[in-house]
Amino acid sequence: MGLFCVCRSSRELWTILLGRSALREPAQIEEELDRNWERLLQGLCYYKTPSSSAAEKLKADKGVAQPLKDFGLRISKLLGLDQQQSVQILQCYLQEDYRGTRNTLKDVLQDERPSQALLLKIADYYYEERVCHLRCVLLLLTYFQDERHPYRVEYSNCVNKLEKDLVNNYQKQFETLFKAESPTWETHGNLMTERQVSRWFLQCLREQSLLLEILFLYYAYFEMGPGDLLSFTKMFKEQGFGLRQTNRHLVDKSMDALVDRIGYFSCLILVEGMDIDFLHKCALEDRTEQHQFSNTPAISKEMDQMLLTFGDIPHHGPVLLAWVLLRHTLSPDESSPVIRRIGNTSLQLGVFQYLTTMLQGLGGTGNNCTASTARMCIYGLLSFVITSFEEETLGSQQVPGLAIKPTMGLGMILDSAMGMFPHKTGMLLQLLTALLSDKSTAKKVYIFLDKMSFYTEVYKTKPNDVISRDDETLWRRQAPKLLYPLGLGQTNLRMPQGVLGQVAVGDQGYVVRWDYSYSAWILFTCEIEMLLHVVSTADVILHCERVKPILDLVHKMISTDWTVSDCLLPLTSRIYMLLQRLTSVINPPVDVIASCANCLIVLAARMPGKVWSSLHHTGFLPFVVSHHIIFTGGNYGNLLVLIEQPRGEYAVTIAFLRLVTTLVKGQLGSTQDKGLIPCVLLVLKEMLPTYHKWRYNTHGVRERIGCLILELVHAILNLSPEGEASGSTPTLQSLCIYSLANTEAGQAVVNIMGVGVDTIDVVLAAQPSSGGSEGPGQILIQTVKLAFSVTNNVIRLKPPSSAVSPLEQALTQHGGHGSNLIAVLAKYIYHKHDPALPRLAIQLLKRLATVAPMSVYACLGGDAAAIRDAFLTRLQSRTEDMRIKVMILEFLTVAVETQPGLIELFLNLEVKDGAEGSKEFLLGEWSCLQVVLDLIDSRQQGKYWCPPLLHRAALAFLHALWQDRRDSAISVLRTKERFWENLTTPLFGTLPAPSDITEPCVLETCAFVMKIIGLEIYYVVSGSLERSLKDALQKFSSGRRYEYWSQYVKSLVVHVAETEEEEGVHSFSETQMVISAWRMLLILSTSHVCHTPLHSPLWRFLKFTRILTNTFVVCPVYPCSVVATAPDVLAPLSLILESVLQADQQLMESTKAKVFSALISALQIQGLNGGEISQLPQLLLCVCETVQDEALALIDSTRHAAQVRDIPDDKDSMETDAVRSFQKDQRDGVCVLALHLAKELCRADEDGEHWVLVMRKIPALHSILSALELSLRSKQNLYFTEAALHLLLTLARTPQGAAAVAGAGVIQSICLPLLSVYEVPSNGASQGFSRKSQDAPCWPGVYRLSMSLMEILLKTLRYNFINEALDFVGVHQERILQCLNAVRTVQSLVCLDEADHTVGFLLQLSSFCKEWQFHLPHLLRDVQINLCYLCQTCTYLLHSRNMLHHYLQAKNGEALPSGPRAQRDPQTPSKAAAEGGGGEREEAEQKALLAVQCSLLKILSKTLATLQHFTPDCCQIILDQCMDLAEYRTLFVLSFTTSAFDADVAPSFGTLLATINVALSMLGEVEKKEPASLSVASLASSEETQALKSLLMFTMENCFYVLISQAVRCLKDPSIAPRDKQRLKQELGSELVIPSVLISSVLSRHFRRGAPSSPASSLLPSPQPPGAKASHEGQEPFIQLVQAFVRHIQR
């Protein structure tokens, strides 16, 4: 439709020249000026009138849509503008200012009423374009000679091109505007109503004012010829200096300021054209003939005649005065009557009063160039006037110490003022204050006043203490005199006897000028002292008039040169008392009080603490009146309410706000800051909510006070938190946050933000001045910006709360018709004057979108799409300020997660018509994705419109899409051409060295790319990655970029470590982000290796690098050195650990944990590879120190938690403490990881030489055991307890370690406290045994670990630990017996695991039968019985597989998934299938059954091995006829029935025979590998099958051994009847014949295959029994023994 204009608008050009756009390089500015200087030269003539040729060209233009052409013609008629330019204006308006959507534009153009409104808006836009066009030229003339301006050279070159033609063009345009006839509805259409005519005329006046301002600035730098001056004078006379406008009937009151401004500039142009400065210089140097008017008598006469007709307009005054000066200087005798007459006329016009009014009207206090140039022009005029016309009366006296020539006008005024000092102090001090401009003049002023040589007094009558001449011209003092009635020393002056004084008699009496030398600074001190004495008398007003100029001078002195402040201490130290006295009188002098406060502001900026300590005693500031927060406003508060508010003048309030802000910024410290709380309370409670309702006499003061209040609040919210004491008294910051969030102060800030973009535009448009930084519009903008920043900080710093604060409610409440604040904030995007305003508005929107529970999209209502278009228009503009674009992208990045509706609006995805049921998306016309794709395009990088910061923001937005899984957007992006190529480009570049990085955002850019790639690999199913991404990853791999980035990340870490202490880390967060992203990419690259084309050695390298990156460290390891990975890494990790342990512990808590994790992984890899570890001693030392510290800290926290629990408290505090306790003991906490690392180190130290030495230095073992005992007693710190027991288990495997653990008192720490971790049911039932997962951390697991520890210690230490072992078994005998009995009822893996550990311990203890019999005979008998029953139970369960399966289904159904985990089957898939079928369920049940069978078999084998120690030795009982059979009890009854699952049936010889048969049957199944049975053979791996065979062999050996031993014991027992013995022989003979044959055949086949018979496998870590041998030959005796026994009993 041709919506966008190809040419640059004037406003855009002005923004570029100001340096507020993306074009900021001087070369870019020069290029713009070269392209547009002719346009600037044309001025307003650039905008042409309508013509038929233009209409024809527009008609023929195919690039513009017909609706736009038609509307352009309407614009042309309304504005009287060229038809083509009308279309250009329309296009520019649509691009920059149109507030609707492009979709609705067509309807708007066709509908009459909306199109009329659009026409009027375009008219306003066109007027603004014309003004901006002139502002561009004004900007060039303002700064083209300013050496401080960055574009001075470029501006100067352009001004040189414009030069003379500029004046001619602009002068003609001014005349054209002045004479232009007002438009009518006949000529310009029906829309040209009276209101539009008035709007046109206002624009006409603005343009006239701007043209004259440009001409004035031009002539300030370039000379005006006499002929030009004459023509300008004629023109201005004809126009009445702007008052005789052609359309003056249209002037209303609102236009008076512009009309006055035209008059001012007309006057100034003529004065500047006379070149008074140069004339003054020529007169001083006596070379007046060089002035351009010295040789133009004809023009001078014509000017004389013309100026004689002047005098009816105030604007004539300065022109007449300047011409008088010119003519008087160049030809004093030629036309003196004319000159006198002209001069009198100027005086009659009140020229000096007019000059004051003019400077105020032009902005006398502003910083804009026009006002300062006008001041210089007027100063030059006045200076020359005083010199020329008062030289004869003032004389020519030297003014010492000042660099001002006595012949200059100001010097004479100064000399005159000195003549009346100190009788009249004001004039001299005001002049000196105005002269202060830099440090050199400050020192000169100080010296000048320090060495005064005259003292002037006025006497109405002649005093008695003087003698005089007869003519009364000279007096002489007869006696010394104190010049002040009160005070001594430094607070008074003493005039000595004999001083002479020159006397002049005047209207006031005798004016005496004493020849007396003194320091005026002492005199000033006396004046202040005098005021302090008369403060309550009627003389106070008179003395205040004398003291105020002193205070103003002091203020200017210390502001200009701080070094003189020490010399002024007598004055500045009295300001506090002055403030106290003056503010407490009935009618305080507010101007003097304001001057005092202004002095304190300067002092406070340098020494805030001293100022505060003196000030808070004066009663001036608000203060607390009780211990509660009840405060009074102090003397200032009374003054505000009683004096300033009724009068409408607020000098003290302005000074008070600036003073408090200065004190706040001084970072006084917590104590003084608390003293400032009443001041801030006054501002927040009494001033901020109501200041806009106060009475004001002066325009602009209200806005200034609002700005100062917000500056104070902003300063408080930006205070660093250092030094803020915690306590009951709130801090300044917390007070501000609370007040703004919960009181009327917050609503006041909301109201300021709600001003809106339209109001600001109206205020800016109403400003008569062309620019500057102190107009009402600029102050309003600054106030709104501060309100944005303050609100943003309040929301950011506000403590989290479930309740919504009134501020948040006001910010997010929905209002009708777009009146809610969110919509107002969003519409600031339309503001174009100050780029910071929309940026801060978007920043606040971003904050609200993050924290507030509301939909921004809903708040925008019907304007949402239009605002979206405005956002994207600014985002895609190449000249837009980069910071706004970055903020827009950051806002959208946040919106991805928090504002689903809004982000869908911005994504603008359209559904593509495709197959039914499938959705394909396309980018809409107004999709932000298209802009983002352009920004990441590798071909755009490095261009001015895509700086690194913007590139980073674009990638952050894309990362947010991937992280939030916006599948529709991602699906569109990933298929875009060159998307993956453009995205991955940053990863292939070469980054600068870490020390040379100037833009840390480059690091973030790379980090976002890595994260996006990682997420894509993670999301996409195997094999479905885009081809372009695969190619990029292949290129990344083949280009050795993995190695490059590993090295680079390493160098980053090294750089951060090296620079942390020296200069602070400027890019720490960016570095951390890169390392985190690199770690993520490596993890996903190695975990999803099928996706990424990595080579095998590289994959192994990455796998280990991934482990290292857990510590945020990537070490220089290359694929070629994979074998030596762990040793290479241990050295740097050891160094890192040492440095981390020496750093701040709170900061390093998480880092320590990660270093420990990496070390554990490295040691485990080292353990697999084997080899020495050179860092072992140092690592052990570091880790043991950490373990000891952490264990002691854990003891303290556990005790504290117990104390808190004991104290009766409310529920909340208890819950809080419970959370804190849990946080202390974590699975991945430092303490737990340190224990695991210590375990790995002890395991690596096989002979124990290193850790023994370390333990001697550090008593870590005692600390661990103490913490363990406390944890067990309180049943807390589960993870610590498990880790500590694992460490003790590792230590106990070596003799030295076991001795150390036992010697440290392990039995005392564990034995009794362990009772706390389980409950023994009173009825002996098995409810105490858990059915939950075996791997989950739990207290029963702690009990099992303790049992294992006892087993290992007893196994290692033997007789040295037997007493402790017996103590342990005695204490826990109930649990032990119940555990053995529970297998019958609970077959969960957890219960079986405990039984396994218990039987293992009993196996070791059974080796010491005699000691056990001696100490615990009853327990021994109970254990023997329970072991026999356990043997019977296991046999039955192994035999009756169907019954076992039924039990598992009925009782332990919830434990089924734990089966595969218990087996640790490497073939088990890591992820469950999406749908579980019946086959998978059956397989899971089979695996669970398999796990239970294996556990039962392990328990059975250990039970039989234990029983072997309770039965006589086979060889001994067979061979030794004298053996005492009473030592061994009969374990099995003489019965041969099959095993029964019943506690009433005693274990018998039938049980043992059944055990042999079951084992033999299982062994046969293993050999045959029957797939149909529920056996191990169908599921287990070959290694597990071999281990199972070995276990079965071990079970049968022990079973035969027990069977033979018990049978012989019965045969030899005299108490057994012969009949029973005979039956025993018969039964065993018949039962063992077939098994012996089968055993022989199976065993021979088994051992021919070379399978080991030793049970030393991972499934059974118990000692090798005596009957087991390691070779085939060794098994023959066992077979022979069985067969010999059979033959023996058959005889």
Side-chain angles (χ1 to χ4, degrees), residues 452-463:
M452 299 296 287
S453 53
F454 297 104
Y455 188 94
T456 303
E457 286 185 298
V458 176
Y459 295 91
K460 291 185 178 179
T461 58
K462 183 179 176 181

Side-chain angles (χ1 to χ4, degrees), residues 614-629:
S614 303
L615 184 63
H616 86 284
H617 294 298
T618 62
F620 173 68
L621 297 178
F623 55 89
V624 177
V625 294
S626 72
H627 293 298
H628 306 288
I629 299 295

Side-chain angles (χ1 to χ4, degrees), residues 417 420-430 433 455-458 483-485 493 508 518 520 522-531 534 539-554 571 578 582 589 591-592 595:
M420 293 303 291
F421 187 84
H423 174 63
K424 293 181 179 178
T425 58
M427 184 67 177
L428 177 66
L429 297 185
Q430 285 171 8
T433 303
Y455 188 94
T456 303
E457 286 185 298
V458 176
L483 298 179
Y484 290 88
L493 287 172
Q508 302 174 351
Y518 63 98
I522 297 177
L523 181 138
F524 296 156
T525 308
C526 299
E527 289 287 344
I528 293 176
E529 277 290 323
M530 197 66 195
L531 177 58
V534 302
D539 295 335
V540 65
I541 297 174
L542 180 64
H543 276 81
C544 281
E545 288 177 0
R546 294 178 62 82
V547 166
K548 185 182 185 306
I550 296 171
L551 294 170
D552 291 340
L553 176 66
V554 169
L571 292 170
L578 199 58
L582 291 178
D591 53 347
V592 181
S595 296

